[in-house]
């Protein structure tokens, strides 16, 4: 039944009859996602989770458990499992957990690749002090919090660069824009989990705390020479063209251009991609809404530039960001 669920959702599946056989399959194929029961003959789920994570530190593992086994399932999280699902299995819950586990795996891989890229660039430029400060700051930030939907950041990164080019931004300025987009919410590592992960609406007091994340992000990266150019986006990405944004209520061209570009493409992505709590609308409907908000929320000139980006390119960026 689970195989059919995953096949219907576009996954390729490998099967195993017990934990030992499952480990052999994993060693041979190294699939990005493993789904296992807890109670199994020969090798149980806890042993399998430990063995899989020992072979691949980025492996995504989802555990299925019955009510009496919840405490054991929680132990699996300590061993590196991404999530556990109560039986009988809810299909939507299982697929959401699987997507979330794969996204987190991709975040871990990309973080390591980014750190390796920084190391190569710094070695080439012999900027060892900058390298050390950058890696220490990014490592502390990324390790202390699950940053969230990285696929969103990858899509917005692509949309922002395409819009910037349409707007006439020089290629020399694009790296700062890229860094700012990817790190725009890094300040949320300083927001308490009780607020950041709250499922319902925030209170007025909680919103006051939530709105401090641009300032926290600014403080995190402003003393890193390599990332100074990203500060305007990190600090100003919630400002609005009409002056009703935060943290300082900048208006119009007082807002850094990178932040104005980000505001448009961030809104576009939020409207055009399915999430567990909302359904996507079409590109054209999202563009119409952005045009409606030009002059209030968005810079009209940036909106004009964004509309010049072909739908085919937007779709290409979107597809490249999707987990296969």
């Amino acid at each position: 039944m689970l195989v059919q669920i995953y096949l219907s959702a576009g996954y390729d599946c490998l099967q195993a009859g017990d934990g030992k056989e499952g480990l052999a399959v994993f060693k041979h194929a190294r699939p990005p996602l493993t789904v296992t029961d807890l109670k199994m003959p020969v090798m149980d789920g806890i042993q399998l989770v430990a063995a899989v994570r020992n072979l691949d530190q980025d492996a995504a593992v989802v555990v299925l458990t019955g009510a009496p086994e919840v405490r054991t399932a929680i132990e699996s999280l300590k061993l590196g499992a991404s999530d556990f699902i109560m039986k009988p299995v809810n299909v939507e819950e299982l697929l959401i957990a699987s997507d979330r586990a794969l996204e987190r795996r991709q975040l871990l891989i990309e973080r390591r690749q980014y750190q390796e890229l920084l190391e190569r660039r710094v070695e080439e430029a012999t900027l060892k002090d900058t390298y050390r400060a950058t890696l220490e700051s990014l490592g502390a930030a990324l390790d202390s919090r699950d940053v969230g939907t990285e696929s969103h950041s990858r899509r917005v990164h692509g949309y922002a660069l395409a819009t910037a080019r349409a707007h006439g931004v020089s290629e020399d300025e694009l790296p700062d824009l890229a860094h700012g987009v990817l790190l725009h919410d890094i300040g949320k590592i300083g927001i308490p989990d009780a607020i950041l992960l709250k499922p319902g609406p925030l209170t007025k007091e909680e919103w006051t705390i939530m709105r401090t994340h641009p300032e926290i992000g600014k403080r995190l990266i402003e003393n890193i020479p390599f990332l100074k150019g990203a500060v305007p986006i990190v600090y100003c990405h919630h400002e609005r063209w009409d002056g009703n944004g935060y943290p300082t209520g900048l208006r119009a061209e007082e807002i850094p251009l990178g932040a104005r570009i980000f505001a448009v493409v961030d809104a576009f992505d939020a409207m055009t991609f399915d999430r567990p709590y909302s359904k996507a609308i079409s590109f054209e409907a999202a563009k119409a809404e952005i045009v409606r908000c030009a002059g209030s929320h968005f810079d009209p000139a940036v909106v004009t530039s964004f509309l010049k980006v072909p739908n085919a390119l937007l779709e290409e960026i979107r597809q490249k960001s999707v987990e296969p």
Side-chain angles (χ1 to χ4, degrees):
M1 181 188 70
L2 290 176
V3 168
Q4 291 304 314
I5 289 171
Y6 278 107
L7 290 175
S8 298
Y11 287 78
D12 293 325
C13 298
L14 301 168
Q15 298 182 66
D18 57 54
K20 185 176 181 180
E21 183 183 339
L23 183 57
V25 171
F26 184 86
K27 287 180 178 178
H28 176 72
R30 294 298 175 98
L33 175 66
T34 299
V35 181
T36 179
D37 208 334
L38 279 180
K39 286 188 175 180
M40 298 185 293
V42 186
M43 176 186 286
D44 64 25
I46 291 293
Q47 292 172 309
L48 179 60
V49 171
V52 164
R53 292 284 298 177
N54 187 54
L55 288 170
D56 182 355
Q57 62 179 329
D58 301 323
V61 184
V62 174
V63 171
L64 307 181
T65 178
E69 304 162 342
V70 170
R71 187 168 299 176
T72 307
I74 292 173
E75 288 298 315
S76 74
L77 299 182
K78 297 178 181 178
L79 292 173
S82 304
D83 207 343
F84 68 87
I85 301 296
M86 298 292 294
K87 296 185 289 187
V89 174
N90 178 285
V91 173
E92 182 178 4
E93 182 183 359
L94 176 64
L95 293 178
I96 289 174
S98 299
D99 289 344
R100 187 167 56 229
L102 286 170
E103 186 174 275
R104 178 171 175 78
R105 174 182 180 273
Q106 186 64 26
L107 171 62
L108 293 171
I109 293 171
E110 291 185 356
R111 180 189 67 184
R112 187 162 52 253
Q113 291 173 342
Y114 186 51
Q115 290 175 333
E116 291 169 357
L117 175 61
L118 283 176
E119 183 174 358
R120 288 197 299 271
R121 286 182 175 177
V122 170
E123 286 176 351
E124 292 169 1
T126 67
L127 299 175
K128 296 191 181 296
D129 289 340
T130 302
Y131 159 73
R132 190 177 302 110
T134 301
L135 283 193
E136 288 175 356
S137 295
L138 282 177
L142 295 170
D143 286 340
S144 64
R145 181 66 55 89
D146 182 356
V147 179
T149 53
E150 181 67 11
S151 295
H152 163 73
S153 291
R154 291 200 301 272
R155 292 190 298 272
V156 174
H157 170 266
Y159 298 153
L161 292 182
T163 302
R165 290 189 174 102
H167 198 69
V169 176
S170 70
E171 291 294 320
D172 291 342
E173 297 176 86
L174 294 184
D176 287 340
L177 174 65
H179 295 152
V181 169
L182 290 172
L183 296 173
H184 68 277
D185 267 344
I186 196 171
K188 286 186 177 179
I189 67 167
I191 304 300
D193 280 349
I195 295 175
L196 189 65
L197 305 178
K198 184 177 179 180
L202 299 182
T203 66
K204 182 178 179 181
E205 293 75 17
E206 289 169 337
W207 265 118
T208 298
I209 296 172
M210 177 67 84
R211 290 187 175 197
T212 64
H213 77 269
E215 175 63 34
I216 295 171
K218 175 176 175 286
R219 292 201 304 267
L220 277 171
I221 68 172
E222 64 184 349
N223 293 321
I224 302 173
F226 183 70
L227 296 175
K228 275 194 172 181
V231 171
I233 296 175
V234 171
Y235 188 54
C236 300
H237 67 279
H238 281 295
E239 300 287 2
R240 289 176 41 142
W241 182 255
D242 60 9
N244 290 322
Y246 66 91
T248 58
L250 298 177
R251 65 170 56 246
E253 293 184 357
E254 294 174 346
I255 306 169
L257 176 59
R260 285 180 267 148
I261 291 173
F262 173 84
V264 172
V265 298
D266 181 59
F268 175 77
D269 185 67
M271 290 187 284
T272 58
F273 206 86
D274 274 340
R275 297 182 181 184
Y277 49 82
S278 66
K279 289 293 184 182
I281 63 176
S282 69
F283 280 12
E284 293 309 318
K287 287 182 175 181
E289 179 64 14
I290 288 171
V291 169
R292 187 184 71 81
C293 296
S296 57
H297 201 120
F298 307 122
D299 176 353
V302 169
V303 171
T304 298
S305 297
F306 172 71
L307 295 177
K308 293 178 183 177
V309 180
N311 278 357
L313 178 54
L314 296 173
E315 184 61 38
E316 180 183 347
I317 293 167
R318 172 190 171 97
Q319 291 302 321
K320 284 182 177 179
S321 74
V322 176
E323 184 74 35

